[in-house]
Amino acid sequence: MLLFVLTCLLAVFPAISTKSPIFGPQEVSSVEGNSVSIKCYYPPTSVNRHTRKYWCRKGASGRCITLISSEGYVSSNYAGRANLTNFPENGTFVVNVAQLSRDDSGHYKCGLGINSRGLSFDVSLEVSQGPELPNDTEVYTVDVGRTVTIKCPFKTENDPKVKALYKKIGETSVLVIDSRNYVNPNYNGRIGLHIPGTGQLIFTVVIDRLRLSDHGLYLCQAGDGSSRDEKNVDLQVLKPEPELVYADLRGSVTFHCALGLEVANVAKFLCRVSSRETCDVVINTLGKRDSAFEGRILLNPQDQDGSFSVVITGLRKEDEGRYLCGAHSDGRLQEGWPIQAWQLFVNEESTIPHSRTVVKGVAGGSVAVLCPYNPKESKSLKYWCLWEGTKNGRCPLLVESQGLVQEQYEGRLSLLQEPGNGTFTVILNQLTTQDAGFYWCLTNGDTHWRTTVEIKIIEGEPNLKVPGNVTAVLGETLKVPCHFPCKFSSYEKYWCKWSNTGCQTLPSQDEGPSEAFVNCDENSRLVSLTLNPVTRADEGWYWCGVKQGHFYGETAAVYVAVEEKKVAGSRDVSPAKADAAPDEKVLDSGVRQIENKAIQDPRLFAEEKVVADTGDQAGGSRASVDSSSSEEQGGSSRALVSTLVPLGLVLALGAVVVGVARARHRKNVDRVSIRSYRTDISMSDFENSREFGANDNMGACSITQETSLGGKDEFVASPESTTENQEPKKAKRSSKEEAEMAYKDFLLQSSTMATKAQEGHQEA
């Protein structure tokens, strides 16, 4: 029963990884008499930097016996020929062992702390016996793919004779090349024999693109017979020892590849050795790229000396392994071409924090990306670039912390220092489908902290709702609303003004629940930005958004344009203006009638101006008058103020007179408004105008005006006769004339009362 329970627990709870973070070379080989240097990596934490480092040899019982340690211990077997050096700033320590013998072959461990703790890495060391060489043998040690130049001396008597290079295979010698232009097919196209000018007793053989099969003993020969000159050469062609590369999970690594000038113009590549001992291309300069590295690899342009570099970000555990860089016209590994090798180890105990590798947003919406950096480099410059899947890959900068923002991203992209302490934020809004892709977070500091994020555009609507672009009027007040749905009820809401260096938070007003969302409770909010008064400096991009503490969420952008306030032009109300409005024409006609009456009787001028001015204040109409009229109007106004009570009685009397006249003629009455001068005119009077000697339309001004019912009334105003003031003896006075006479009597009485009152005031 207990066994069953334990089995269930093991099935439910995942196994704890015991993978050691210590890393070193898996296999090391050398020959007797030579030396080796073994580098081991460890996480550079403060504890690891100061803890014990050791190199031990595994015995048959499984125990690992210490041979040398960082605390000063050295075994008798290693005395005088080994040392251990710690490099805490790099997180490495190196074990050097010299004067190797075949007894040194075996299985070892490099580690930290106690030998049995498990913080160690297994290393296999193989020491082989060197070849037995003649005493005069010259040794050349060259890496595979490189070039070697073999120098062969000779005596003067053999100067005119044949020179040649042979390779010893067992007991036979195979001709490789001679001075008669023979070349062995195995060396065709990559070997040459050169004889200097007269007087130099030496010839050289140059072999390019060395292969492992070129390894062996060679013989230089000049002449033949017993007088020939010979020299033994041992050519050792070595596979490149892989350089150990230690990187953190989610971090980045850079492979620097220097292959030499001889392949400067040849296609370059980086490949990964598979379990089948083949090397699969990861990326090359011909445009091939492994899909597993899409969006997180770049091949930087090669230099004039043929060197180049490959950067991989967003490292995964499955990226571990052996990598080769090389050059070949086919862009892949070929025998005999120069290569470099690396052994990559990805540390799962990474100091780089977890962050989302995929961020999703909707068209028109926004995304907020968290970018990690080394917390010790808070003052470093931060960058954000867009990975482009061109032939070699490139990543042009879009924004940086010193204020650079590419023009096409102005108003929609910002790099913020928050939340800080090893993380900065990049916000991109107004998303379109073209924004989908891979982006890199960079700094000018620790290159191991480069990370990659993919932005995907999905279907949906933005959560925040704002108006489109807004136009504000200079000097006035502008209020811009932003609607937040219920899901952001617990978030801090803000408005800010965008600039190249960030987004400065501005005061905003919470105006209660928003009505922009359907089926939403009171948790939705409407938050407004108010600019009062609007200035030129207010023009630009504004963002509303949400955040929790120093972590930003969604944003929405509004552009505010500022324009000058439009000043309405003064309207010309002159009667001569052809396009004057109908009501202005009626008004101008009335003014002209009043002026004509003033000409007929100068005593009426002041009274007419007073009434006209009163009408202006009541009706708000505009009319042009000359300067002398304005002065007399001011004098009349002062007289009215000083005689307010008597004038009030006169006005009451005038109202009674006018009321009597209006009561007598209520049939078919049309009202004409001339400033404040009103009178009732019977239309029948116009029909009977000929009875009194009037001429129809003579000097008349006809004005057509729409009524409130949409029809049109036609008003005809005739100037008064200035030659006859006396009533005809036999003709019956019309209602119009009676009304005018009553009005004149009213004005005369008003003028008389005003004059007497003013004289009495002066005497007093």
Side-chain angles (χ1 to χ4, degrees), residues 64-133:
C64 198
I65 302 173
T66 302
L67 299 177
I68 190 171
S69 75
S70 59
E71 295 180 344
Y73 173 79
V74 179
S75 69
S76 58
N77 188 30
Y78 269 35
R81 66 186 188 102
N83 61 71
L84 187 152
T85 306
N86 183 33
F87 299 93
E89 65 278 4
N90 299 327
T92 63
F93 66 93
V94 178
V95 177
N96 295 307
V97 183
Q99 302 172 23
L100 291 172
S101 66
R102 299 190 65 180
D103 293 336
D104 290 323
S105 297
H107 298 283
Y108 295 80
K109 282 186 177 183
C110 63
L112 272 66
I114 303 173
N115 294 15
S116 60
R117 182 182 174 188
L119 291 177
S120 60
F121 188 84
D122 292 336
V123 179
S124 176
L125 174 61
E126 182 180 356
V127 181
S128 60
Q129 183 179 7
E132 295 182 2
L133 303 174

Side-chain angles (χ1 to χ4, degrees), residues 355-388:
S355 59
R356 289 188 294 174
T357 57
V358 177
V359 178
K360 298 178 181 179
V362 300
S366 67
V367 292
V369 178
L370 293 177
C371 293
Y373 64 90
N374 192 331
K376 298 178 181 178
E377 300 175 341
S378 59
K379 295 183 179 180
S380 62
L381 296 180
K382 285 84 175 175
Y383 310 95
W384 206 55
C385 67
L386 172 62
W387 182 87
E388 295 180 353

Side-chain angles (χ1 to χ4, degrees), residues 29 97 106 154 158 206 280 296 322 325 329 364-365 376 384 487 490 493 521 633 655 688:
S29 60
V97 183
F154 57 87
N158 290 322
V206 179
D280 302 323
R296 57 192 190 97
R322 188 176 184 186
C325 79
S329 58
K376 298 178 181 178
W384 206 55
K487 63 185 292 184
S490 63
K493 302 159 184 71
D521 57 24
Q633 179 180 347
N688 300 326

Side-chain angles (χ1 to χ4, degrees), residues 440-663:
W440 286 22
C441 302
L442 312 168
T443 71
N444 67 342
D446 192 345
T447 59
H448 296 96
W449 285 72
R450 294 170 176 169
T451 56
T452 303
V453 62
E454 181 182 7
I455 293 179
K456 292 184 177 180
I457 307 300
I458 60 176
E459 294 183 359
E461 295 292 331
N463 285 309
L464 306 185
K465 298 184 183 299
V466 293
N469 294 345
V470 177
T471 300
V473 178
L474 197 64
E476 296 188 355
T477 300
L478 175 68
K479 181 178 287 187
V480 186
C482 183
H483 300 268
F484 297 85
C486 309
K487 63 185 292 184
F488 296 127
S489 60
S490 63
Y491 287 66
E492 177 186 349
K493 302 159 184 71
Y494 67 92
W495 273 96
C496 66
K497 185 176 183 183
W498 180 91
S499 68
N500 285 7
T501 57
C503 201
Q504 181 64 40
T505 303
L506 300 174
S508 58
Q509 298 81 38
D510 187 340
E511 302 190 12
S514 170
E515 298 179 358
F517 305 98
V518 180
N519 299 327
C520 194
D521 57 24
E522 294 295 313
N523 289 328
S524 65
R525 308 308 292 172
L526 170 61
V527 178
S528 297
L529 168 70
T530 301
L531 302 177
N532 183 25
V534 174
T535 65
R536 279 293 180 193
D538 292 328
E539 188 166 86
W541 285 99
Y542 292 83
W543 290 6
C544 71
V546 295
K547 63 179 181 177
Q548 288 184 314
H550 295 291
F551 294 90
Y552 288 83
E554 295 189 36
T555 59
V558 178
Y559 186 80
V560 175
V562 177
E563 65 177 18
E564 295 283 349
K565 185 176 182 180
K566 295 181 180 179
V567 180
S570 338
R571 178 176 291 176
D572 185 3
V573 294
S574 171
K577 187 174 181 180
D579 58 349
D583 57 341
E584 292 177 359
K585 291 183 179 180
V586 174
L587 177 63
D588 294 336
S589 178
V591 172
R592 288 166 59 191
Q593 286 187 6
I594 294 174
E595 291 174 350
N596 289 337
K597 292 176 183 178
I599 294 174
Q600 294 176 23
D601 191 347
R603 294 174 301 172
L604 303 181
F605 181 78
E607 288 79 359
E608 294 279 31
K609 297 306 295 180
V610 170
V611 175
D613 184 65
T614 306
D616 284 343
Q617 296 178 10
S621 302
R622 301 179 189 176
S624 299
V625 295
D626 56 30
S627 59
S628 61
S629 298
S630 299
E631 293 174 0
E632 293 189 26
Q633 179 180 347
S636 299
S637 298
R638 288 190 296 271
L640 288 174
V641 171
S642 63
T643 60
L644 181 62
V645 176
L647 184 59
L649 297 174
V650 174
L651 291 175
L653 178 61
V656 172
V657 174
V658 174
V660 172
R662 292 180 61 184

Side-chain angles (χ1 to χ4, degrees), residues 575 577 580-593 670-674 683 697 699-707 711-719:
K577 187 174 181 180
D583 57 341
E584 292 177 359
K585 291 183 179 180
V586 174
L587 177 63
D588 294 336
S589 178
V591 172
R592 288 166 59 191
Q593 286 187 6
D670 289 334
R671 177 170 296 176
V672 179
S673 176
I674 304 176
M683 298 302 293
N697 299 327
C701 178
S702 177
I703 301 96
T704 301
Q705 181 175 358
E706 291 188 8
T707 66
K712 293 184 179 180
D713 294 334
E714 188 173 276
F715 300 101
V716 179
S718 300

Side-chain angles (χ1 to χ4, degrees), residues 8 48 124 140 158 180 209 227 272 334 350 382 404 444 463 513 617 622 651-652 685 745:
C8 292
N48 289 342
S124 176
Y140 291 85
N158 290 322
R180 294 172 294 190
R209 304 192 299 276
S227 62
R272 182 168 56 174
Q334 294 288 349
S350 176
K382 285 84 175 175
L404 169 69
N444 67 342
N463 285 309
Q617 296 178 10
R622 301 179 189 176
L651 291 175
D685 294 336
D745 291 339

Side-chain angles (χ1 to χ4, degrees), residues 30-83:
S30 187
V31 296
E32 287 184 307
N34 288 353
S35 61
V36 292
S37 181
I38 301 162
K39 181 185 289 185
C40 293
Y41 292 80
Y42 59 87
T45 64
S46 58
V47 174
N48 289 342
R49 290 192 189 100
H50 299 92
T51 194
R52 172 179 178 265
K53 284 80 179 174
Y54 64 88
W55 172 258
C56 66
R57 183 169 184 170
K58 295 172 66 176
S61 62
R63 292 183 59 191
C64 198
I65 302 173
T66 302
L67 299 177
I68 190 171
S69 75
S70 59
E71 295 180 344
Y73 173 79
V74 179
S75 69
S76 58
N77 188 30
Y78 269 35
R81 66 186 188 102
N83 61 71

